[in-house]
Amino acid sequence: MAKHLRLVKTMAETAGPSRLLIVSDVITATQYISFLQPLQALAEEGRMRLFFEDCPRTAAASEAMFQATAPDCLVLSRCTLPGGEPLVKLARQHGIPYIYHIDDDLMRVPESLGADKFRAYNHPARLQRLANFMNNADLVYASTGPLQLALRESAITGNIEAGEIYCAIDSAALLQPMTATSPVIGYMGTSGHFNDLLMILPAVERLMDAHASLRFELFGTIQMPQSLARFGNRVMSHQPDPNYAGFIAKLHSLGWWIGLAPLEDNAFNRCKADTKWVEYTTAGIATVVSDMPVYHRACGNGCGTLIPDGGDWFETITLLLRDAGLRRQSVERARARLHDGYNLTQLQQQVLAMLAKASAIARAQA
């Protein structure tokens, strides 16, 4: 039980659940972003207790976990392993609400994410288990409206609610931008986003050829394209920090002038949230993104730069590299939008509303 948020304060009365058991195949930044960040203040006040656990491998381990945590709400977050099934049964036996949380269309994972992920997520047994988890939940908490619709298209019949926002920030804790002394552009992502990076690789190579002092950096598990090796020490990869707070601090310390977020226009990506924009903006980095609906709310009115399909990434990035005022204005506008529409108070209210609705549904069905 290594991933508990343990509290010593007396538990206060709350309208909804106060002891949440949050289980995923493997606990990652997803669960930090979605539950720990918005609920941590309540936990520190003693009003909630949160338990974050990797999915057990046996029914006996599930039973032990349930007894040890004594939850009054079960949340399966991106859980697809068989160990989730005993937990759902235990939740039903104890009459507590059960929420399934999902932030990608795991019913339709494309081959572009890599052959291994494609095979694993599209295994018939795994797909059936995932569908059962959602159809048997009191509430399915989807990260975006498009994801909610996609799940309906996949014949998920449970109660599906979509969040207004996914990733939020503590606007009171924003650090000042830390701009590098020489120009640097970067891309942050996991290995599954290699095809997204390839979309703009020709523009990146042109930029590196055109600007002798320009550096290009990657941050995350994504691999550096071989074609960029010719630029020597002007290209660099930074390994991710498994701790999300450390990840954001590291991103801030890189001092990128511009953060890139290309995104292939496909059904899977259209269900995604605008997380990269939130993270780049939090770090004080001007953002250039693909012109897709996922980024429209965030990047409108100069809060980011949208590049349409077939648009010129080279010219747009060149303009931003040459105009410090334009970059600064974009970051300032984006941070104002973060403060007004992506803050932790809003996300906390959203999560509490999901918990309350799941509780009401569970009571009605008891």
Side-chain angles (χ1 to χ4, degrees), residues 37 52 84 264 336 357 365:
Q37 274 195 314
F52 294 87
E264 282 190 303
K357 183 158 189 175
Q365 294 177 346

Side-chain angles (χ1 to χ4, degrees), residues 76 95 106 110:
L76 295 189
L106 299 181

Side-chain angles (χ1 to χ4, degrees), residues 50-301:
L50 310 176
F51 303 89
F52 294 87
E53 299 286 355
D54 293 346
C55 187
R57 301 295 169 166
T58 66
S62 295
E63 176 74 34
M65 177 187 294
F66 203 89
Q67 289 184 357
T69 57
D72 58 7
C73 181
L74 170 67
V75 179
L76 295 189
S77 176
R78 291 182 62 104
C79 186
T80 64
L81 296 178
E85 294 171 342
L87 290 172
V88 173
K89 290 180 181 178
L90 287 164
R92 292 301 180 223
Q93 291 170 7
H94 288 77
I96 67 171
Y98 155 47
I99 295 172
Y100 193 90
H101 170 255
I102 186 166
D103 66 341
D104 273 322
D105 187 1
L106 299 181
M107 297 296 294
R108 297 186 291 189
V109 171
E111 197 166 6
S112 60
L113 293 190
D116 291 342
K117 285 185 178 180
F118 177 75
R119 283 193 298 269
Y121 277 102
N122 287 285
H123 190 284
R126 195 171 196 170
L127 288 175
Q128 186 60 60
R129 191 161 50 243
L130 176 59
N132 290 342
F133 282 153
M134 288 191 278
N135 284 330
N136 291 322
D138 294 306
L139 183 73
V140 177
Y141 175 15
S143 57
T144 67
L147 178 55
Q148 179 186 32
L149 295 175
L151 294 176
R152 289 287 185 220
E153 292 172 358
S154 293
I156 301 305
T157 58
N159 299 300
I160 308 174
E161 293 286 336
E164 181 70 20
I165 57 175
Y166 173 67
C167 186
I169 52 93
D170 180 1
S171 55
L174 278 177
L175 299 173
Q176 288 299 311
M178 187 181 291
T179 306
T181 54
S182 59
V184 54
I185 59 177
Y187 177 78
M188 166 186 59
T190 60
S191 57
H193 288 280
F194 192 73
N195 282 356
D196 295 328
L197 178 58
L198 291 181
M199 289 171 49
I200 61 167
L201 187 57
V204 170
E205 293 190 53
R206 284 183 64 197
L207 286 161
M208 296 291 285
D209 285 327
H211 305 276
S213 61
L214 180 64
R215 302 199 315 274
F216 177 73
E217 298 182 357
L218 295 176
F219 183 31
T221 58
I222 191 166
Q223 296 298 306
M224 184 70 70
Q226 286 295 323
S227 63
L228 296 179
R230 64 188 177 91
F231 295 106
N233 60 10
R234 292 171 58 201
V235 298
M236 179 181 295
S237 293
H238 302 276
Q239 291 302 303
D241 190 320
N243 177 279
Y244 188 71
F247 169 84
I248 292 296
K250 176 65 175 179
L251 180 63
H252 174 264
S253 73
L254 296 178
W256 292 352
W257 290 21
I258 300 167
L260 308 176
L263 199 60
E264 282 190 303
D265 190 355
N266 58 44
F268 184 82
N269 284 340
R270 283 179 170 263
C271 293
K272 284 189 167 293
D274 46 15
T275 310
K276 277 190 174 61
W277 174 85
V278 173
E279 292 167 344
Y280 284 149
T281 301
T282 300
I285 300 168
T287 306
V288 179
V289 305
S290 292
D291 187 359
M292 286 180 57
V294 58
Y295 289 121
H296 286 175
R297 176 185 178 220
C299 293
N301 196 33

Side-chain angles (χ1 to χ4, degrees), residues 331-351:
V331 170
E332 289 173 352
R333 288 181 174 178
R335 285 188 153 199
R337 180 156 294 172
L338 270 186
H339 181 275
D340 294 340
Y342 292 78
N343 63 70
L344 283 181
T345 298
Q346 292 166 315
L347 185 56
Q348 180 188 101
Q349 292 172 347
Q350 176 177 294
V351 174

